[in-house]
Amino acid sequence: MAEGGGAIPEKNGLDISRFVPAIPHLVLTAIRKPDQCIYRLAGDDMISRIGMNPKGKNYYDFVPKDRFAHASQAMHMVIDIPSSFRADIAQQYSDGRVRMVEALAVPLGSDDPDVDGFILFADCEASREPSMLPTDRMLLGANVLARDLIDLGHGVDRSFVDRVIAT
């Protein structure tokens, strides 16, 4: 942003080679309003943790139906304002376990006429229990437990109220 005079970088203009150690934890999603948040790519750490490559899948399919409006509003806020957020997420797996994940979402501009904007996530497990082999589980769903809005110099939607699941 500093190099672009405060402007949000375009997806194709972002040089990810500047943060190589984070690449295994990165996820890129394409937002198409009103109901699509499509995984475009996922780092090896995420693929290993969730037991599949989510490329082409809609993130909202992993969100409980009663949280969809809040989840999509948060994603739209990131690309519309533009702004950012940090979230604590409980991910439910097929083996019955819940894994805690921390994610940072930042906007990227879109030069694709079929995409309203992109969101780059840095996503890592915060659970303290030992990792399992990928064949031991598959991601079934995710619930945001807390979300902190981050002003990138363009403001944040102060009226945004998230529906989070208390633990």
Side-chain angles (χ1 to χ4, degrees), residues 76-136:
H76 297 172
M77 176 177 50
V78 168
I79 63 170
D80 289 343
I81 288 182
S83 60
S84 183
F85 66 78
R86 188 206 64 83
D88 295 322
I89 303 166
Q91 293 181 334
Q92 298 83 33
Y93 287 86
S94 58
D95 66 355
R97 294 186 189 199
V98 173
R99 312 291 283 185
M100 296 305 303
V101 174
E102 182 176 21
L104 173 68
V106 295
L108 294 173
S110 173
D111 56 5
D112 182 336
D114 296 325
V115 175
D116 294 305
F118 292 92
I119 299 177
L120 182 66
F121 290 90
D123 185 292
C124 68
E125 185 175 346
S127 296
R128 301 248 186 253
E129 60 186 80
S131 295
M132 300 172 286
L133 296 174
T135 55
D136 291 343

Side-chain angles (χ1 to χ4, degrees), residues 5-37:
I8 301 301
E10 293 288 316
K11 175 188 68 92
N12 293 334
L14 183 67
D15 179 9
I16 63 169
S17 68
R18 295 172 59 184
F19 38 93
V20 170
I23 290 174
H25 306 282
L26 297 181
V27 174
L28 179 68
T29 60
I31 308 300
R32 293 185 200 135
K33 296 177 186 177
D35 60 359
Q36 293 186 0
C37 180

